[in-house]
Amino acid sequence: MIKLEWTKEHMRVLNRIGESFKRDKVFSGIKIGLCLHLEAKTACLAMTLHEAGARVAIAGSNPLSTKDYAASELSRKGIEVFAKHGESMEEYYESINKVLDIQPDLIIDDGADMSVIAHKRGGLSIRGCAEETTTGVKRLRALEKSGSLLFPAIDVNGASCKHLFDNRFGTGQSAFEGIMLATNMTIAGKHVVVCGFGDVGKGIAEKAKGLGAIVAVTEVDPVRALEAHMEGYMVMPMSAASRIGDIFITATGNTTIIGEDHIKSMKSGVVLANAGHFNVEIDTQALSHYRTERIDENITCYSVDGKKIYLLGDGRLVNLACANGHAIEIMDMSFSLQALAARYLLEAELENRVYKYPYELDTLVANLKLSSLGLTIDELSEEQKKYMESWGEGT
Ligand code: NAI
């Protein structure tokens, strides 16, 4: 269990932003609904918004990622909490609806479940939404494309200070924390198959390589497949990777990446883990037809044609179901972006569209982060600025 005080101490950028928000009471009279993985870092974000004057209600964004100690700590501090670890899917949706019952002005979402339910309820009185992850942004863009988006949304995932660090370094590290905590196994010398070579897949593949694994990547995008090849990974289709892998980690945001036929061609004893947002990347439906045994809190063994197939965290985000999610310093940036996005949604005049993350706020977070790390960088001189903007002074 990670103490809230410890976490807060290391969220230095969010603390800086929080101090000014608290002083100016920027969310006074505003109701904010959160649907986020409810653990210590999220609790710090919720408290930051609350201390800035907001009424805050929160639901988890995954039934297995809620840490009950963080939930009860938040309740004690006056936040309305509707989440418990291991809740059923029915309870999960009920919790999201309870948050929406407070009629939030703003929502901060991870995966767009709250946004989608708000749409089913006619958009309520929501003035805007800040979306955390790739999968959620994809769903919001689909709503926008169909002309059905009922409030403005900010693509927080698209901010450089989000996807370059959270998706890549955050998931890279925390996915292995989850796998190692759940299994207590070595990674070195194992064949690790990473499905998808986006920011998340890149981070996982890098960490797997660093831990001494032999890494294979599966992709459908030819450019990303080539990038993986140039990084020195084996690249192959899933039908081939399924035969050699010891540990499989999905990170595509897509569905049925590891299907029943792949599972049937795997070796006995393989470990399956998912790092993508929803638990649809590994075909758990197909697995559920085989003999099932719960080996440990986060390991389920399926007996498939006489072979043992181990699934971690029920196929849900392995870094959150089996560990504490991203490192604090990573979420410091992601949640600072979220806090700034919430204020921006209140102040800017926006249409019902999915907006890119504002560049100035992204840069603000990068500068605050550098300063919190005690790092300084060079600035362009006037001469350099002029040179960069000119077209005729190449020689
Ligand atoms: P991305 O869209 O940049 O990358 C996904 C990659 O998967 C793409 O290169 C795509 O071509 C590939 N892909 C799609 N279908 C495939 C298939 N059938 N086989 C092989 N590759 C396939 O997305 P990003 O940002 O890397 O995120 C991936 C997922 O991870 C999303 O669901 C996102 O929401 C989630 N995520 C999870 C985090 C965590 O804490 N575990 C943190 C951040 C994102």
Side-chain angles (χ1 to χ4, degrees):
M1 171 174 123
I2 306 277
K3 286 237 169 72
L4 250 54
E5 292 71 25
W6 170 265
T7 306
K8 187 169 165 43
E9 165 73 22
H10 292 89
M11 296 191 84
R12 301 205 170 130
V13 177
L14 185 65
N15 292 341
R16 285 273 300 276
I17 292 168
E19 279 160 24
S20 78
F21 276 19
K22 188 174 170 181
R23 194 183 50 237
D24 302 339
K25 283 277 177 258
V26 295
F27 296 124
S28 181
I30 297 296
K31 290 177 279 182
I32 307 183
L34 308 180
C35 182
L36 297 169
H37 300 294
L38 205 179
E39 38 79 47
K41 282 93 72 183
T42 313
C44 291
L45 172 66
M47 283 311 299
T48 303
L49 303 172
H50 180 62
E51 285 166 6
R55 175 178 170 193
V56 179
I58 182 165
S61 60
N62 179 310
L64 283 190
S65 62
T66 298
K67 307 289 178 207
D68 289 333
Y69 72 89
S72 52
E73 188 78 5
L74 274 186
S75 288
R76 267 199 297 281
K77 292 189 160 146
I79 310 283
E80 291 154 82
V81 179
F82 304 100
K84 70 169 193 282
H85 181 83
E87 62 193 348
S88 66
M89 285 314 285
E90 209 183 351
E91 290 169 315
Y92 168 76
Y93 290 120
E94 213 173 274
S95 299
I96 293 179
N97 273 305
K98 282 186 180 151
V99 171
L100 290 173
D101 287 344
I102 75 160
Q103 299 285 336
D105 300 285
L106 301 175
I107 59 178
I108 299 182
D109 207 355
D110 186 342
D113 274 349
M114 184 171 278
S115 300
V116 167
I117 293 174
H119 275 76
K120 288 184 181 151
R121 291 176 61 172
L124 304 164
S125 48
I126 293 168
R127 290 161 65 179
C129 149
E131 171 54 51
E132 173 81 2
T133 199
T134 319
T135 288
V137 172
K138 191 192 91 204
R139 296 174 84 191
L140 290 168
R141 287 204 193 282
L143 272 171
E144 180 187 39
K145 199 169 166 199
S146 66
S148 328
L149 189 65
L150 295 176
F151 41 77
I154 305 270
D155 171 5
V156 177
N157 184 69
S160 299
C161 283
K162 162 61 169 67
H163 68 98
L164 291 182
F165 304 100
D166 175 309
N167 298 29
R168 184 169 180 169
F169 295 96
T171 319
Q173 177 172 318
S174 60
F176 279 102
E177 268 169 34
I179 293 167
M180 293 192 284
L181 273 175
T183 64
N184 200 205
M185 287 166 81
T186 43
I187 305 299
K190 296 232 163 51
H191 280 92
V192 170
V193 176
V194 181
C195 310
F197 202 65
D199 288 312
V200 173
K202 283 174 197 167
I204 293 172
E206 255 162 31
K207 289 292 180 290
K209 194 194 227 177
L211 287 164
I214 306 143
V215 183
V217 168
T218 73
E219 248 301 344
V220 289
D221 178 321
V223 175
R224 287 192 164 167
L226 271 176
E227 204 183 345
H229 168 72
M230 294 287 187
E231 289 283 356
Y233 304 119
M234 293 188 283
V235 174
M236 60 187 76
M238 195 58 211
S239 53
S242 60
R243 295 174 195 284
I244 63 161
D246 299 300
I247 299 174
F248 294 82
I249 309 166
T250 50
T252 68
N254 205 342
T255 187
T256 328
I257 302 306
I258 298 184
E260 190 170 5
D261 286 348
H262 300 133
I263 293 168
K264 285 185 164 197
S265 65
M266 288 175 182
K267 301 186 270 190
S268 185
V270 299
V271 170
L272 310 184
N274 169 46
H277 187 78
F278 286 117
N279 61 336
V280 294
E281 303 213 13
I282 299 166
D283 191 350
T284 50
Q285 196 63 24
L287 278 173
S288 69
H289 299 130
Y290 294 93
R291 194 164 70 76
T292 306
E293 192 186 348
R294 185 66 98 172
I295 301 285
D296 204 354
E297 194 192 343
N298 284 316
I299 309 177
T300 307
C301 177
Y302 295 91
S303 301
V304 179
D305 301 343
K307 293 187 276 191
K308 290 182 173 180
I309 306 291
Y310 297 108
L311 177 70
L312 304 189
D314 294 344
R316 296 191 180 278
L317 297 155
V318 67
N319 54 327
L320 282 143
C322 306
N324 287 311
H326 296 344
I328 304 172
E329 300 97 319
I330 295 283
M331 292 316 290
D332 186 21
M333 283 192 279
S334 303
F335 285 160
S336 294
L337 293 164
Q338 285 288 13
L340 292 168
R343 186 183 60 180
Y344 181 81
L345 281 166
L346 281 183
E347 291 175 350
E349 293 222 350
L350 302 171
E351 292 163 20
N352 294 348
R353 282 174 35 208
V354 181
Y355 285 86
K356 277 189 178 165
Y357 196 86
Y359 174 78
E360 325 75 66
L361 300 182
D362 204 358
T363 311
L364 172 67
V365 170
N367 276 322
L368 288 172
K369 188 75 191 173
L370 282 171
S371 137
S372 80
L373 295 166
L375 299 174
T376 50
I377 58 170
D378 291 323
E379 275 180 41
L380 288 174
S381 66
E382 285 310 311
E383 184 196 353
Q384 287 169 334
K385 276 188 205 161
K386 248 198 222 153
Y387 183 83
M388 296 297 274
E389 284 162 11
S390 71
W391 54 268
E393 292 168 23
T395 50

